[in-house]
Amino acid sequence: MNAIIIATELAHDLTGANPPVLLDVRWQLSLARAAGEPAFDGRAEYAAGHLPGAVFVDLDRELASAPGERGRHPLPDIAEFGAAMRRAGVSSGRPVVVYDGGQGWAAARAWWLLRWTGHPDVRVLDGGLPAWEGPLSTDVPTPAPGDFEPVPAAGGLLDADAAAALARSGVLLDARAAERYQGDVEPIDRVGGHIPGAVSAPTTENVTADGRFLPADELRARFKDLGASEGAEVGVYCGSGVSAAHEVLALAVAGIPAALYVGSWSEWSSDPSRPVATGAEPE
């Protein structure tokens, strides 16, 4: 099953006998609060217009637990996540399509969580809301409760120790911007740099200028150049496990399974005893 769906295909599926549940996960990393300005408000964006029938999902509250020692977006409580998905109408026997404002990071976080906890049919709208050419709605639906019961998979998830080991035994990709990987700047976390052995692989290089994913063969070629090809053990991290989910999605489009280090740099860098590498090279 493809991990992404284009807008015309989604429009067709919405008229079918088993239309997908639509989840609107508009969110963006914002430093506005630190500057004393209002933070991005995904719920307000949703209220101003969304795909007809879509239900808003709050990334900070429903796709993550409170920030702390485990990072800025640690895993949500699984029972609470399941309850939130059921309120949104998610059932195991019905497909789900997730979208955001176009960047794809937040939608990918929802995609990853649903897939990791056992939902069999989840896709991300390629290009997000800007790719949709149909009408928008301001009506807030009240879906019938779903029956989805999340069951976390045995694999696909890394903690700090596993990420450090994978950087030595396999391929650990750092999905952040190159300047953060190198330690030239660090606008959010305690210290700049990267996990020793990790390879710089900005997730922004997986998409075109309009936010759509590169073709699968181009993604495969890119990841092969980074050492992440078929047969390699691959993991991804970022700042807080959001843009890294987008890179895991890009790897899935390329046919390469990968694990996610959810705590990511926000967890790793919070412990002064963990080693930090700087510069353009992995070590």
Side-chain angles (χ1 to χ4, degrees):
M1 184 193 70
N2 200 344
I4 58 176
I5 185 171
I6 62 173
T8 53
E9 185 181 358
L10 174 59
H12 176 269
D13 288 357
L14 287 171
T15 65
N18 189 30
V21 173
L22 295 176
L23 303 181
D24 182 313
V25 196
R26 271 180 275 182
W27 171 94
Q28 67 185 39
L29 180 64
S30 175
L31 303 180
R33 193 172 297 165
E37 300 173 4
F40 176 84
D41 188 342
R43 192 176 293 276
E45 295 288 324
Y46 168 84
H50 50 265
L51 268 64
V55 176
F56 181 73
V57 173
D58 190 317
L59 185 148
D60 290 317
R61 293 176 174 82
E62 296 174 316
L63 304 182
S65 54
E69 293 182 355
R70 295 186 298 128
R72 280 182 280 109
H73 289 105
L75 283 176
D77 176 88
I78 295 302
E80 292 179 6
F81 169 67
M85 293 299 98
R86 290 190 293 276
R87 285 195 301 272
V90 175
S91 293
S92 295
R94 188 175 171 191
V96 177
V97 171
V98 192
Y99 71 92
D100 58 24
Q103 188 179 44
W105 295 4
R109 172 73 175 223
W111 166 85
W112 181 85
L113 270 169
L114 283 165
R115 293 291 293 146
W116 180 67
T117 55
H119 197 287
D121 190 350
V122 190
R123 287 178 287 177
V124 169
L125 176 60
D126 196 19
L129 186 64
W132 179 254
E133 297 181 352
L136 298 180
S137 173
T138 57
D139 294 337
V140 178
T142 304
D147 63 13
F148 178 63
E149 294 287 347
V151 179
L157 178 68
L158 301 173
D159 61 13
D161 291 341
L166 183 58
R168 304 298 182 187
S169 64
V171 182
L172 181 65
L173 301 177
D174 185 318
R176 297 173 300 159
E179 58 267 26
R180 292 184 69 192
Y181 170 90
Q182 293 169 187
D184 297 337
V185 299
E186 181 44 63
I188 307 172
D189 295 313
R190 185 185 67 84
V191 64
H194 58 269
I195 297 173
V199 177
S200 180
T203 197
T204 51
E205 296 180 15
N206 297 323
V207 296
T208 61
D210 62 3
R212 290 176 170 85
F213 281 104
L214 296 172
D217 57 347
E218 293 184 27
L219 288 171
R220 278 191 292 272
R222 181 191 184 220
F223 291 127
K224 182 178 181 180
D225 288 344
L226 295 169
S229 56
E230 187 176 354
E233 187 178 2
V234 181
V236 190
Y237 76 97
C238 59
S240 64
V242 179
S243 66
H246 190 261
E247 187 131 294
V248 172
L249 176 58
L251 284 154
V253 172
I256 304 168
L260 177 66
Y261 174 24
V262 173
S264 284
W265 189 248
S266 58
E267 178 187 40
W268 182 275
S269 64
S270 69
D271 185 346
S273 70
R274 294 194 181 106
V276 172
T278 57
E281 299 302 319
E283 297 301 329

